[in-house]
Amino acid sequence: MADILFQLKNVGQKTFFTDLQARKDEYISVLEEIYADGYTDRGKRFTKYFLPVKQNFSHFPSEIILPFGGNFIVECYDIREKLDLEVIQEEVLKILDDQKIRIYMKYILSNIRQIIKKIQSLKLNENLLPYQILIVEKLQTCIEHLKQTYLEVGQTDNNITPKLQWLGKTNVLTTLIYELWQGQEKGKQTSTKPLIKAQKKDLEALLINNFLDSKGKPLSFSTITHYLNTSKPETRAKKGVRIEL
């Protein structure tokens, strides 16, 4: 059987952080699979990708601009995490036994903790330290997501509340939750006030534990956390598509 955490274990290698050209090539290879078209402006030193063609990558924006330079460690991590979480979900659905799922998940969590220790032990240049810290934080968030999704829910037995199926696009739902949390911009000078006081991890748990996507499938944690990232405004639904507050 293939290694369930193949993608994330490779994140623990020093070259994942130091070989920036490899990370850019990796990210480009994904973008070329997702987007139907693109063009390169050599004068302004960027490549623009647009028209996404694959539904399973619906969390990507309608277009994305990739500069010639830059560091794509975080983008590559997010993609790898999404792939491994999908594999874990597939394996859990095959087991269908609460006790075996708990044993399996404890094995997965133990392995992720080992990956965290390995990353923390890496000796990296000072300019890469923020990325090292951020990836560790993302892995710790991943652990919490797996615990809440596959361990804590099972403890409620028959009292589990059925999940609601969201019939629209996932980023419309997450944009609504985000703007209830952070406020909704109405123009350059005006915005609504926040209506929810919470931490990002609480909102992630709210969405993961209570909603299914338009196809009746569980929401992807990596997609949800990407949409709720305050530094990624391009991923949220735009005016005319979003739900107005």
Side-chain angles (χ1 to χ4, degrees):
M1 186 177 76
D3 189 344
I4 300 297
L5 295 173
F6 174 77
Q7 300 288 345
L8 290 180
K9 283 183 178 178
N10 285 337
V11 171
Q13 302 296 323
K14 186 174 183 178
T15 52
F16 179 79
F17 294 89
T18 59
D19 193 343
L20 299 183
Q21 184 59 51
R23 296 293 72 74
K24 183 176 182 180
D25 292 344
E26 177 182 347
Y27 190 42
I28 288 175
S29 69
V30 173
L31 296 181
E32 289 178 344
E33 286 290 319
I34 295 169
Y35 292 92
D37 211 346
Y39 72 88
T40 297
D41 188 324
R42 297 196 177 280
K44 295 183 179 179
R45 296 177 58 79
F46 70 80
T47 299
K48 181 178 180 180
Y49 297 88
F50 51 93
L51 299 177
V53 295
K54 293 194 175 182
Q55 290 299 318
N56 57 327
F57 285 107
S58 60
H59 61 289
F60 277 79
S62 58
E63 62 180 41
I64 192 167
I65 294 177
L66 189 74
F68 280 10
N71 183 321
F72 302 99
I73 290 173
V74 175
E75 286 81 358
C76 288
Y77 171 84
D78 287 340
I79 292 167
R80 291 181 181 215
E81 181 190 275
K82 181 178 186 296
L83 291 172
D84 276 357
L85 287 177
E86 288 173 351
V87 173
I88 290 170
Q89 181 174 289
E90 289 175 4
E91 291 299 315
V92 168
L93 292 175
K94 292 177 186 176
I95 298 172
L96 297 177
D97 180 287
D98 286 347
Q99 186 59 30
K100 290 181 179 178
I101 288 174
R102 294 181 69 80
I103 294 172
Y104 170 75
M105 197 51 54
K106 287 180 180 180
Y107 165 78
I108 294 295
L109 296 179
S110 176
N111 274 267
I112 295 177
R113 292 188 183 98
Q114 291 302 313
I115 296 170
I116 290 174
K117 289 181 180 179
K118 190 171 183 179
I119 293 174
Q120 290 174 327
S121 70
L122 296 176
K123 304 298 182 182
L124 300 175
N125 292 336
E126 188 173 348
N127 64 307
L128 294 175
L129 293 181
Y131 298 96
Q132 182 182 27
I133 294 170
L134 181 57
I135 297 304
V136 167
E137 290 176 350
K138 282 178 169 287
L139 283 164
Q140 290 169 335
T141 299
C142 181
I143 286 176
E144 292 306 310
H145 159 67
L146 290 171
K147 287 166 63 178
Q148 291 174 5
T149 303
Y150 298 111
L151 296 180
E152 296 177 8
V153 173
Q155 295 174 0
T156 61
D157 296 325
N158 295 326
N159 295 320
I160 298 174
T161 302
K163 291 185 179 182
L164 304 176
Q165 184 177 358
W166 179 260
L167 299 179
K169 291 185 176 180
T170 301
N171 79 322
V172 174
L173 171 61
T174 53
T175 297
L176 172 63
I177 297 299
Y178 178 89
E179 292 179 338
L180 287 170
W181 176 41
Q182 295 290 332
Q184 185 179 77
E185 290 187 6
K186 295 295 187 180
K188 292 184 178 179
Q189 304 296 328
T190 60
S191 63
T192 65
K193 293 182 179 180
L195 297 171
I196 292 177
K197 184 178 181 181
Q199 295 184 33
K200 182 169 177 277
K201 65 179 182 179
D202 299 325
L203 300 179
E204 291 167 348
L206 169 71
L207 289 164
I208 293 294
N209 293 333
N210 293 283
F211 287 92
L212 301 171
D213 68 14
S214 60
K215 296 180 180 179
K217 296 181 179 180
L219 299 178
S220 163
F221 175 74
S222 58
T223 298
I224 295 304
T225 193
H226 186 68
Y227 282 155
L228 291 176
N229 193 330
T230 55
S231 66
K232 299 284 185 179
E234 70 276 6
T235 65
R236 287 184 279 282
K238 303 297 187 291
K239 190 174 181 179
V241 177
R242 71 186 185 183
I243 297 171
E244 298 296 325
L245 300 180

